[in-house]
Amino acid sequence: MPVSLINPAGLPEVPLYRHVSVATGSRLLHLAGQVAVDADGQLVGEGDFAAQVKQCYRNISTALASAGAGFDDVVKLTCYLVDWTPEKLPVFMEAIEHVAAELEIDVPKPPFTGIGVTTLAGPGLLVEIEAVAVLD
């Protein structure tokens, strides 16, 4: 595996992610921001933040697999969250745990940036997640 995730001494423990990823692979994979739209282009989970987080992760899994990668190869996630408040964090984390079990993956916790936004590119979208992965 070309990715090591590290929480260095002197930085706080964060349950959602690790502060550093060290990648030693030779191919870099950039995923477009994934939103809660299914293969037919239909919005999944209208008005349901948790359902949309889950669909984003499903879409990331599909995109990674298309390049021969998996979540173990992810070195960075960037998440855009509509009308974000800290009270949504437990819902976000629970949704990730649920979809990880559904996909039968152990979702690593690479460096993560969450950005609160007022809107996304399409109507009804509540979350968009970008991923960067490194492959051997």
Side-chain angles (χ1 to χ4, degrees):
M1 175 177 15
V3 180
S4 298
L5 301 176
I6 303 167
N7 256 342
L11 293 177
E13 287 270 336
V14 180
L16 185 60
Y17 61 88
R18 302 297 175 259
H19 288 281
V20 177
S21 65
V22 178
T24 58
S26 59
R27 294 189 303 143
L28 190 59
L29 174 66
H30 290 267
L31 272 59
Q34 297 299 305
V35 296
V37 174
D38 65 16
D40 296 323
Q42 300 299 308
L43 177 64
V44 174
E46 185 170 351
D48 185 339
F49 177 69
Q52 290 200 19
V53 169
K54 292 174 190 177
Q55 186 62 39
C56 289
Y57 270 79
R58 289 182 196 109
N59 291 350
I60 291 168
S61 179
T62 298
L64 289 168
S66 75
F71 277 95
D72 286 345
D73 300 305
V74 173
V75 296
K76 176 76 169 83
L77 293 170
T78 303
C79 190
Y80 302 91
L81 305 140
V82 173
D83 297 325
W84 178 255
T85 63
E87 292 77 27
K88 293 181 182 177
L89 183 59
V91 174
F92 184 76
M93 292 178 64
E94 185 177 314
I96 293 170
E97 290 174 14
H98 183 270
V99 75
E102 171 192 312
L103 297 172
E104 297 181 352
I105 56 173
D106 181 23
V107 177
K109 298 175 180 173
F112 177 93
T113 300
I115 302 168
V117 297
T118 55
T119 190
L120 292 169
L125 296 173
L126 302 175
V127 61
E128 181 170 345
I129 305 174
E130 296 176 341
V132 176
V134 173
L135 292 82
D136 282 327

